Each structure stands twice: as C-alpha cells, then as structure tokens.
Amino acid sequence: MRAKSASSATSAPSASSAASAASAASAASAASAASAASTASARIAAQFVALLVLGAVLLALGLAIGSLGWSPWTEAGDTMRLILWDIRAPRSLGAWLAGALLALAGAVAQGLFRNPLADPYLLGCSAGASLGVAALLFVMGISPAAAALALRVGMTGAAFVGAIGAVLLTLVLARGVTQSLRLLLAGVVVGVVLGSGAALLTLMNPDILRAMQAFMLGSTGYVGWSAVQVMAVALGLCLLTALGCSRTLDALTLGEDTARSLGQRLTLIRLLLIATLSLATGAAVAQCGLIAFVGLVAPHLVRSWGPTTHGALLLLSALTGGALLLAADIAARWVIAPQELPVGIITALLGGSYLLWLMHRRKAHFGGAGGSQ
C-alpha cells in the first residue's frame, strides 16, 4: 500500500510539470507567431510607403523630362505650363496607371493559375487587341464610309473590344472556368489564331505596318486626360474586386480541393478574377499598346522582398508596376532625346534582364544546396 501511494504521489507532480511545460511551449509559439505577424505587417507598411514616395518622385521627374531632355517645371512660363498640363502630366500619370493595371493583372493571373510565369496576356488579350487594331486600320482603307465608322470607334475602342472579345472566345473554347488547364490551353490557341489574323491583315495592307508596329511596341505618348480618367476608374474597380477575392487566392495556394473544403466558391471567384484580369489588361492595352514584362516582373519583385499574403501582394504589385512603367517611360524620353524610344523596348530589356538574373540566382542557390548535401 505504501509503495502504491508513493508511486501515485510522484506521478502527480510529473503530470503537472508536463502540463505546465506544454502550456509554456504553446504560449511561446503564440508569442513567436504574433511577433512574426507584427514584423511582416511593419515590413509591408514600410514597402507601401516607400513605393508611394517612389511614385511621387518619378511623377516629379516625369514633369521635368520631356522630348528635349531636362527642363525643370519650377521655372515654367505660359507655354511650358501648357506643355506640363496637357502633355507631360497626363502622360506620366497614364504611364503609372497603365503599369499598375498590368502588374495587378499579372498578380491576379499568377495567383489564379498558380503559375509564376503567368502574365496579363495569358488568355489572348494581346492578340485580340492586335487583331482589333489591324482590322480597324484595314477597314479605314476600304472606303470613306468605312473610314468614318472606324474613326468613330478609334484605335482605343478597337483594341479594347478585341482584347475583351479574345477573352470571351477563350472562355467559350474552355467551356467555362472550372478547369484551369483547359483555360490555359484555350488562351494559347486563341492567341496564336488571332495573332495570325492580325499578321494576315497587315500583310494584305502594308500601309498599316508602321501604325501596327507602334502599337505592338507600346507607347504612352498619346495618353490624354480622358485616357487617365478611364484607367483610373478601371484600376479602382479592378483593385477592389481583386482585394475582395484575395482570401480565395490564398486558399488556392493549398490546392483546389483544400480551397473548396474551406468553403470558397471557386467558380464565382474565378469568373470575377478573370473579369478583373480582362478589364485591367484591356484598359491598359487600349491606351498604351502592348507593353511587355511589367505584368510578369512586378509580382516577382514583390515576392522577392519577403513572404506575403495575396491581399498585400496585389496592392504592392500595382504600386511596383506603376513605378516600373513610369521609370521606363522617363528613360524612353531621355535616352536619345529629342527622339524617343518605344517604352515597350525599355520594359522588355529591363524585365528580361531581371528574369535572367533571377533564374541564375536560383540556379546558383539550388546548386549550392545540392553540393552541400
């Protein structure tokens, strides 16, 4: 009896100490998680403020750099004020808005398809916009009545209608939005077919080659205040919709089955995100033409700064894309002034160089890891 009571007396303190140790470990892990969350929030807030400041600095530079190079806007006369207000200000704001739209569309595409190589043109938007512009220019040379109708539509309207029409055709061929792989394949097919149609129209009427080349290389030189208003409204709508769907994008990183088990309505969310992707890409392409790599590179840049949820990723990607395209536009004006480079060439060079550097850095990292093993 005495041995049994002694055994129970010693086991009670050991169970109590184990329970206290477990509660201490749980409290420590909770404190560590709270500290990590607060650190991540502070980092995201700092990045947000830094990108806003960078955007403001670039806008000031955009007002000071024109086709003749550096011309400070602080010493502006009446003529210079007109140039600043009617040309440089809408062009700089338009470049920032177009970059933000493309980067937001790229972040949405990469999250929706769970593919880091997805870009805004994945569903055939670029080929559809090119076909719309080529068809417009081709019709303008047929007859005066057709030219008058084409002028009413305008290149902006033709590009937007072509981009949205390409996405709708992709959805029809994919039979909805339920299967991501079918959407991707349909987007590739639509892009190839519509791109061939644009090339055929250009071949049939060589007079439109120069205008098509300007559209394909991208330019912000013709952006006015009306275009700025359109892109600002589109950015607001797309950003609000994308942020509202950000929790579903977070759930999709765990897989579609897990997202459904968490109660996410994937079909509805996919429709909303594809509509957001199409509107953002169509609005940017209609106003500035085809601009490469901004929508692909901006989300990668944000991810390289640290892990984040899709809500912060979408917002920071938009700010980063705006800064990237505005910086490229300023460089396009300044590098060979008084002539200008197409801004799409600048973005292609910068974006391609960054992706090559990123690829070699990851290759070196994995190679080093393999060697150490």
Side-chain angles (χ1 to χ4, degrees):
M1 272 309 269
R2 288 180 181 177
K4 186 175 181 180
S5 61
S7 170
S8 61
T10 55
S11 63
S14 64
S16 174
S17 62
S20 62
S23 66
S26 176
S29 63
S32 175
S35 175
S38 63
T39 301
S41 299
R43 172 176 55 82
I44 291 170
Q47 292 169 357
F48 178 78
V49 173
L51 288 171
L52 285 179
V53 172
L54 177 61
V57 171
L58 289 172
L59 283 174
L61 284 176
L63 292 177
I65 296 177
S67 59
L68 297 178
W70 176 262
S71 53
W73 48 271
T74 55
E75 303 175 0
D78 293 338
T79 303
M80 183 56 70
R81 287 193 186 94
L82 289 175
I83 293 174
L84 289 174
W85 180 253
D86 293 335
I87 299 176
R88 293 186 190 175
R91 176 173 181 169
S92 299
L93 284 172
W96 190 92
L97 289 169
L101 284 167
L102 290 173
L104 176 62
V108 168
Q110 291 174 15
L112 178 61
F113 295 106
R114 290 175 291 161
N115 188 339
L117 295 179
D119 71 346
Y121 306 137
L122 192 64
L123 299 181
C125 286
S126 60
S130 299
L131 180 60
V133 172
L136 177 82
L137 295 174
F138 184 82
V139 166
M140 288 179 66
I142 294 178
S143 67
L149 178 61
L151 287 175
R152 288 186 180 182
V153 175
M155 287 184 61
T156 299
F160 184 79
V161 170
I164 300 301
V167 175
L168 293 177
L169 180 59
T170 299
L171 293 178
V172 170
L173 292 178
R175 298 177 184 176
V177 297
T178 55
Q179 296 187 18
S180 299
L181 181 59
R182 184 177 288 177
L183 267 174
L184 291 174
L185 293 176
V188 171
V189 171
V190 169
V192 171
V193 173
L194 297 188
S196 300
L200 177 62
L201 291 178
T202 304
L203 183 65
M204 293 173 63
N205 187 2
D207 294 336
I208 68 175
L209 181 61
R210 180 178 291 274
M212 281 299 300
Q213 187 179 28
F215 178 80
M216 297 289 289
L217 293 176
S219 175
T220 58
Y222 302 103
V223 175
W225 285 115
S226 59
V228 168
Q229 293 172 5
V230 169
M231 287 191 287
V233 171
L235 179 61
L237 291 175
C238 293
L239 190 57
L240 288 176
T241 306
L243 290 176
C245 301
S246 61
R247 290 185 179 274
T248 302
L249 292 176
D250 290 334
L252 276 173
T253 59
L254 304 175
E256 293 186 5
D257 294 335
T258 304
R260 287 193 183 92
S261 68
L262 293 174
Q264 301 294 333
R265 302 171 64 182
L266 292 187
T267 301
L268 176 61
I269 297 301
R270 276 200 182 102
L271 279 173
L272 289 174
L273 289 174
I274 288 176
T276 300
L277 167 65
S278 305
L279 178 60
T281 307
V285 168
Q287 304 297 336
C288 300
L290 302 183
I291 297 174
F293 279 104
V294 173
L296 180 61
V297 168
H300 281 280
L301 274 174
V302 175
R303 290 191 190 94
S304 69
W305 300 334
T308 182
T309 61
H310 274 90
L313 174 66
L314 294 169
L315 184 58
L316 294 177
S317 294
L319 295 174
T320 304
L324 282 175
L325 186 52
L326 180 52
D329 182 58
I330 293 172
R333 302 181 221 171
W334 178 65
V335 170
I336 58 171
Q339 296 180 347
E340 290 188 16
L341 284 173
V343 69
I345 293 178
I346 302 292
T347 58
L349 289 174
L350 295 178
S353 301
Y354 172 75
L355 290 179
L356 283 174
W357 173 80
L358 185 65
M359 179 183 68
H360 285 293
R361 189 186 70 167
R362 291 187 175 181
K363 182 180 178 181
H365 172 73
F366 291 131
S372 63
Q373 290 176 354

